[in-house]
Amino acid sequence: MEAVGLSSISKSYGDFTAVSNLSLSIPKGIIFGLLGPNGAGKTTTIRMIVRITVPDEGAVTIFSQQLTPKMQERIGYLPEERGLYKKMKVREQLLFLAGLKSVSAQEADKKIKYWTERLEISNWLEKKTDELSKGMQQKIQFISTILHSPELLILDEPFSGLDPINANLLIEVIQELKKSGCTIILSTHVMEQVEKLCDEICIINRSQKVLDGNLKTIKREFGNNRIALAVEGDSSFLRNSPFVENWTEFLHHIELDLCEGVDSQQLLRQVIDSGVRVTRFELVEPSLNEIFIKKVGKSNE
Ligand code: ATP
């Protein structure tokens, strides 16, 4: 079943097109990465999903229906810009925000206890928000987003301000929420976190989709032209190989990009024919970072 469906949505501000003809189908129960460089149109897309803004063209559906005010209670949205009440105590604030999503005080109390302990911030419940560090406030705002147990959770840069230990803690919590059946849309610039978390991704650049699909499949498709190679003997002949485009030497191996249209077996044959002894010959997957740079670079050309 589909959690979010975008059907050819577009949004312009004056003459400027922020999102152009974007279609996506996000299945229920997955973690979906919405990626793109600064100004690509990610936040505008998210705002159209949660109906803070409406598309000029196209349609958005949530759980195969048009978004109604009642359905807003099934969604949790952590916006990029943070919005906690600075002078309010943390517990008071969480209770208030849970109340806005129709969570009873008794239920909210239980959830606040669970999530503040899970995110290791329960000692700060009686402090005023402006006494908390940026990372702590980030954790509190995250908790406020999930107190009503949303079925769809949209997180815009949820790791900003978190140190590596707290970022890992949040990764665990996001995985836990997925296990409980929640669908999560994640917008972030940190590709390592996307690699750890996301089942599917979409990269947008300059308002348009440039790549989408299953992350493992995308990596496999991009990974058919890079070879990790180690040999005993002189490998310098590879520098002039007609099959090789790029060459990077590491301490114990070499990484090569094959020229377009070249099959890895052609290179393997050349290496064996040269008389060196092959100790490693392996297709390697590129990192999502490389895929991102390649796709965004190409679409900018
Ligand atoms: P970032 O990674 O920097 O947060 P983003 O991909 O989320 O970027 P958006 O915030 O969606 O990008 O912005 C896309 C483009 O639309 C930007 O050029 C931005 O200036 C423009 N834009 C967004 N909101 C408005 C608005 N309310 N009025 C005018 N222009 C806007």
Side-chain angles (χ1 to χ4, degrees):
M1 195 192 166
E2 192 179 69
V4 176
L6 306 182
S7 164
S8 305
I9 57 166
S10 297
K11 180 79 193 172
S12 295
Y13 296 104
D15 290 341
F16 183 81
T17 306
V19 174
S20 172
N21 197 26
L22 178 65
S23 294
L24 279 179
S25 175
I26 303 176
K28 253 182 113 172
I30 70 161
I31 305 182
F32 186 90
L34 187 59
L35 318 175
N38 294 127
K42 304 176 297 294
T43 301
T44 308
T45 301
I46 289 173
R47 287 187 174 155
M48 287 190 277
I49 296 174
V50 295
R51 225 175 160 77
I52 289 175
T53 179
V54 283
D56 300 329
E57 283 167 49
V60 177
T61 52
I62 309 283
F63 304 120
S64 309
Q65 301 166 45
Q66 289 241 321
L67 188 61
T68 57
K70 185 79 195 136
M71 278 175 71
Q72 293 276 8
E73 286 179 9
R74 297 166 71 183
I75 302 176
Y77 172 40
L78 179 75
E80 196 178 18
E81 65 283 355
R82 309 303 178 218
L84 292 172
Y85 301 99
K86 300 271 178 219
K87 299 291 169 201
M88 226 169 164
K89 283 189 179 163
V90 171
R91 183 194 300 280
E92 244 180 288
Q93 176 140 212
L94 287 173
L95 277 169
F96 171 71
L97 293 170
L100 292 181
K101 294 276 187 182
S102 310
V103 183
S104 69
Q106 198 186 10
E107 184 65 16
D109 249 345
K110 261 197 279 173
K111 294 256 174 72
I112 290 168
K113 184 172 182 324
Y114 176 78
W115 285 115
T116 52
E117 278 172 12
R118 183 74 184 83
L119 281 152
E120 298 171 5
I121 193 150
S122 52
N123 289 345
W124 296 81
L125 276 169
E126 304 313 327
K127 301 274 184 204
K128 284 194 185 133
T129 306
D130 63 2
E131 291 175 63
L132 270 57
S133 74
K134 195 172 160 225
M136 289 170 180
Q137 291 188 32
Q138 173 74 355
K139 292 203 273 187
I140 295 299
Q141 187 147 357
F142 176 82
I143 292 170
S144 77
T145 311
I146 56 171
L147 282 177
H148 61 298
S149 310
E151 291 163 63
L152 172 63
L153 180 60
I154 302 174
L155 305 171
D156 201 347
E157 290 293 349
F159 300 100
S160 77
L162 296 185
D163 65 51
I165 293 168
N166 279 305
N168 276 344
L169 189 57
L170 187 59
I171 284 176
E172 280 173 22
V173 167
I174 292 173
Q175 283 166 332
E176 195 175 308
L177 290 165
K178 178 190 164 185
K179 271 199 197 124
S180 72
C182 183
T183 307
I184 297 149
I185 299 178
L186 174 70
S187 180
T188 173
H189 293 289
V190 188
M191 296 300 142
E192 291 83 354
Q193 278 146 2
V194 177
E195 301 224 34
K196 281 183 194 155
L197 283 168
C198 294
D199 303 285
E200 295 191 14
I201 60 158
C202 166
I203 300 180
I204 49 181
N205 185 36
R206 297 184 175 184
S207 82
Q208 295 189 335
K209 176 164 83 180
V210 293
L211 180 72
D212 74 325
N214 177 280
L215 181 55
K216 276 196 190 130
T217 312
I218 288 172
K219 290 190 78 165
R220 215 176 302 128
E221 280 168 8
F222 271 78
N224 61 4
N225 80 330
R226 177 161 301 173
I227 307 286
L229 176 75
V231 297
E232 284 169 10
D234 182 11
S235 59
S236 59
F237 69 95
L238 283 166
R239 285 187 186 272
N240 301 317
S241 166
F243 307 133
V244 174
E245 197 171 52
N246 289 313
W247 157 298
T248 315
E249 194 149 2
F250 293 92
L251 190 57
H252 298 296
H253 75 285
I254 304 162
E255 281 192 14
L256 307 165
D257 287 340
L258 297 175
C259 298
E260 207 166 322
V262 170
D263 188 277
S264 54
Q265 299 306 305
Q266 291 173 271
L267 179 71
L268 181 59
R269 220 167 289 126
Q270 188 196 11
V271 176
I272 289 171
D273 289 348
S274 76
V276 295
R277 188 178 159 76
V278 181
T279 55
R280 181 178 174 192
F281 189 91
E282 187 187 341
L283 275 167
V284 287
E285 282 187 341
S287 68
L288 184 56
N289 221 26
E290 284 175 88
I291 294 173
F292 181 97
I293 291 167
K294 217 176 201 172
K295 280 311 277 191
V296 169
K298 208 169 213 168
S299 92
N300 282 342
E301 273 165 17

